[in-house]
Amino acid sequence: MGRPMSRNLMHAGARLVIHNRSREVVARLAGEGMQAAASPAEVAHRAPVVILMLSDTPAVEQVCQGADGLINAVRRGSLVIDMGTTAVAATRLIADQFAARGAAFVDAPVSGGDLGAREATLSIMVGGEANAVERAMPLLQVLGRNITRVGSVGAGQVAKTANQIIVGLNIGAVAEALSLARAAGVDPARVRAALSGGFADSRILQVHGQRMIDGDFRPGGKVVTQRKDLRQALELAAAIGLELPATRLNLSLYERLVASGGGELDHSALIKVIAEDDESSG
Amino acid sequence: MGRPMSRNLMHAGARLVIHNRSREVVARLAGEGMQAAASPAEVAHRAPVVILMLSDTPAVEQVCQGADGLINAVRRGSLVIDMGTTAVAATRLIADQFAARGAAFVDAPVSGGDLGAREATLSIMVGGEANAVERAMPLLQVLGRNITRVGSVGAGQVAKTANQIIVGLNIGAVAEALSLARAAGVDPARVRAALSGGFADSRILQVHGQRMIDGDFRPGGKVVTQRKDLRQALELAAAIGLELPATRLNLSLYERLVASGGGELDHSALIKVIAEDDESSG
């Protein structure tokens, strides 16, 4: 998602210094007018605002805390914005490390996927001190809409965790409901239509319910990403002594889907786990 | 819900013959201009269209199959409409028994609660033969909006079952997400606002999420009703050989809420089960 987001920023007039593990990606974006940097440290030397869009928490730790990482190189007064989905505890630790170097940190994870990144319609959940968030806001407004400051550092990641919990469980809900309809001999598409506008209605029923009816599981949001986010949710819950039984079960269903080869499918493919149960018992 | 629905029909110009187990209810509605009947059989003798709005499947069986019930008394050519949430198997059996007496049967369960019944904004999920549904439609249009014929007899109840599965699981999803936010020190109201409009958005997040934030669990839809509907969903699933693991877990959480004295609360009170786990482990 970093590529379309960087293009949106460039088209809005920002001068971009970019780095990526893939030299090919850097070369392509350099060809579009961005400046290439050889390391995260070089980005931190040259840019007063650094935006991270990485796939997981270990990648954020490497880019921030590694030998040629951001923290050792960051300029006093710089602002770092992490827009990936990163563990809350790691986020708070890394923010402290930037603060010790005189740099501000904002977590601003997003919802809306590749399409939202391209069309600049991402929902952005923001955590950070008010003045740091205020500095980040003009950039975030280029990248998305419905931008909400949820609280202090880490609060954006907590909101994203809540988002992923609900998304995973709502997919599971629609999967069981439509599986039951089909097994009971009723057209799932008509059931979905009948439920639209009522208390069972949701974005997941509308978007992912349609994917289930069509059997179209091209991602979209991948199963392996949903699994990572649910694992992170349960790690956070465990760290603060909270039991999340439904989320735990939901993760186990996603684990089964990965084990049966569905990891690269859209997360709405969870319905295949329910259907498989049906076939094995029927 | 039968009372406001019968009033809406009367105000639309229908002549009503009413029966209820409670003589007080019958007396009050008779005072408003409806005609009292002493038994379901008397209703069936006097009215060409019979609407049932009962609390559970045993009540429907009693009213239909009992000694002074509808089936023994129904007029040839009559139409019976069951608007309660009744088990699919019982629905199909009872429809066959009415058919043997020359009467048509339509299942038309609703979503939208007491408020929807009063304001005639119920969502109605309809199962039945096309010509029977066509006869029922002018009456249903007085009582609700978003009226969808899902399929043949029983299909309305299948859709209602799907509705209740999703409602129960979406409440569980929002309960875990907001509990995690609160336990992580983040304002659940801000999380709800941040998630509005994104993939996690739902009617449940909007309506029941707000109830959870306010701690206002006056019903609304009661926990005991949700429990009954989830039990019915699992009975249907078992009858057709389908495993619904998330629904099963969701029911167990509602059972715990009833056991701890929460049966008469709104079903959004499920968040209390998550919060109790937190307190016992914290």
Side-chain angles (χ1 to χ4, degrees):
Chain A
M1 294 171 64
R3 244 178 296 181
M5 291 166 70
S6 62
R7 286 180 183 130
N8 285 336
L9 286 167
M10 189 176 70
H11 295 149
R15 283 176 45 225
L16 270 77
V17 180
I18 54 155
H19 177 69
N20 190 286
R21 274 172 302 181
S22 157
R23 291 188 185 191
E24 192 197 342
V25 169
V26 173
R28 188 188 309 177
L29 292 175
E32 296 179 18
M34 303 181 201
Q35 300 169 48
S39 69
E42 189 185 334
V43 173
H45 280 304
R46 292 169 62 184
V49 179
V50 181
I51 298 177
L52 306 179
M53 194 65 193
L54 296 157
S55 57
D56 56 21
T57 301
V60 171
E61 289 171 335
Q62 176 62 32
V63 163
C64 291
Q65 299 169 329
D68 60 351
L70 294 170
I71 290 169
N72 285 335
V74 73
R75 286 150 58 175
R76 243 195 134 62
S78 282
L79 170 65
V80 179
I81 308 171
D82 178 13
M83 301 192 71
T85 300
T86 306
V88 174
T91 293
R92 288 175 175 162
L93 177 64
I94 286 168
D96 284 347
Q97 293 171 335
F98 278 113
R101 303 273 307 176
F105 184 93
V106 165
D107 50 304
V110 304
S111 172
D114 288 336
L115 189 67
R118 280 201 302 279
E119 297 184 349
T121 58
L122 295 166
S123 288
I124 310 181
M125 296 150 263
V126 188
E129 295 317 309
N131 54 353
V133 172
E134 203 174 309
R135 279 175 70 194
M137 204 51 90
L139 295 166
L140 300 180
Q141 283 164 343
V142 171
L143 298 169
R145 51 188 187 202
N146 190 27
I147 303 165
T148 309
R149 178 173 177 249
V150 183
S152 57
V153 165
Q157 296 296 353
V158 170
K160 177 67 191 280
T161 305
N163 189 82
Q164 294 308 90
I165 285 174
I166 293 175
V167 166
L169 288 170
N170 284 10
I171 286 175
V174 173
E176 294 201 359
L178 296 185
S179 294
L180 184 69
R182 194 187 302 266
V186 175
D187 181 357
R190 289 211 206 169
V191 169
R192 176 176 162 282
L195 271 44
S196 292
F199 278 123
D201 205 357
S202 66
R203 276 291 291 284
I204 296 297
L205 179 69
Q206 294 302 325
V207 176
H208 299 82
Q210 190 59 51
R211 284 171 182 260
M212 293 178 204
I213 289 164
D214 296 338
D216 180 358
F217 300 123
R218 287 172 296 178
K222 285 184 183 176
V223 168
V224 288
T225 305
Q226 183 69 34
R227 178 179 66 161
K228 169 186 76 78
D229 292 346
L230 292 174
R231 284 178 173 174
Q232 214 155 267
L234 287 167
E235 283 164 13
L236 173 60
I240 58 186
L242 185 68
E243 261 300 313
L244 299 178
T247 303
R248 182 171 301 282
L249 174 70
N250 189 238
L251 173 59
S252 77
L253 297 173
Y254 275 109
E255 298 280 12
R256 278 174 57 185
L257 185 51
V258 174
S260 66
E264 297 300 310
L265 299 177
D266 185 78
H267 47 185
S268 56
L270 195 68
I271 196 171
K272 291 163 73 79
V273 176
I274 310 297
E276 280 161 18
D277 273 346
D278 188 31
E279 281 156 24
S280 66
S281 66
Chain B
M1 292 172 65
R3 243 178 298 181
M5 291 166 70
S6 61
R7 286 181 184 130
N8 286 336
L9 287 166
M10 188 177 71
H11 295 150
R15 284 176 44 226
L16 269 76
V17 180
I18 54 156
H19 177 69
N20 190 285
R21 275 171 301 181
S22 158
R23 292 188 184 191
E24 192 197 342
V25 169
V26 173
R28 190 188 308 179
L29 292 176
E32 296 179 18
M34 303 180 201
Q35 300 170 49
S39 67
E42 188 186 336
V43 173
H45 281 303
R46 294 170 61 185
V49 179
V50 181
I51 298 178
L52 306 178
M53 192 65 193
L54 295 157
S55 57
D56 56 22
T57 301
V60 172
E61 290 170 335
Q62 176 62 32
V63 163
C64 292
Q65 300 169 325
D68 61 351
L70 295 171
I71 289 169
N72 284 336
V74 74
R75 287 149 57 173
R76 237 191 140 64
S78 281
L79 170 66
V80 179
I81 308 171
D82 179 12
M83 301 192 70
T85 300
T86 306
V88 174
T91 293
R92 288 175 175 162
L93 177 65
I94 286 169
D96 283 347
Q97 293 171 336
F98 278 113
R101 302 272 308 175
F105 184 93
V106 165
D107 49 305
V110 304
S111 171
D114 288 335
L115 190 67
R118 280 201 302 279
E119 297 183 349
T121 58
L122 295 167
S123 287
I124 310 181
M125 295 151 265
V126 188
E129 295 316 308
N131 54 353
V133 172
E134 203 175 308
R135 280 176 70 195
M137 203 52 87
L139 295 167
L140 300 180
Q141 283 164 343
V142 170
L143 298 169
R145 54 188 185 201
N146 189 28
I147 303 164
T148 309
R149 178 172 177 250
V150 184
S152 58
V153 166
Q157 296 296 353
V158 171
K160 177 67 191 281
T161 305
N163 188 83
Q164 293 308 90
I165 285 175
I166 293 176
V167 165
L169 288 169
N170 285 10
I171 285 174
V174 173
E176 294 201 359
L178 296 186
S179 294
L180 183 69
R182 194 186 303 267
V186 175
D187 181 357
R190 289 209 206 170
V191 169
R192 177 175 161 281
L195 270 45
S196 292
F199 278 123
D201 206 356
S202 67
R203 276 291 291 283
I204 296 296
L205 179 69
Q206 293 302 326
V207 176
H208 300 82
Q210 189 60 51
R211 285 170 182 259
M212 294 179 204
I213 288 165
D214 296 339
D216 180 357
F217 300 123
R218 288 172 296 179
K222 285 184 185 178
V223 168
V224 289
T225 306
Q226 183 68 36
R227 179 179 65 161
K228 168 186 75 78
D229 292 347
L230 292 174
R231 284 177 172 174
Q232 213 154 268
L234 287 166
E235 284 164 14
L236 173 60
I240 57 184
L242 186 67
E243 260 300 312
L244 299 178
T247 304
R248 183 171 300 281
L249 174 70
N250 190 238
L251 172 58
S252 77
L253 298 173
Y254 276 109
E255 298 280 12
R256 278 173 57 186
L257 185 51
V258 174
S260 66
E264 297 299 310
L265 299 176
D266 184 79
H267 47 185
S268 57
L270 194 68
I271 196 171
K272 291 163 74 78
V273 176
I274 309 298
E276 280 161 18
D277 273 345
D278 188 30
E279 282 156 23
S280 65
S281 66

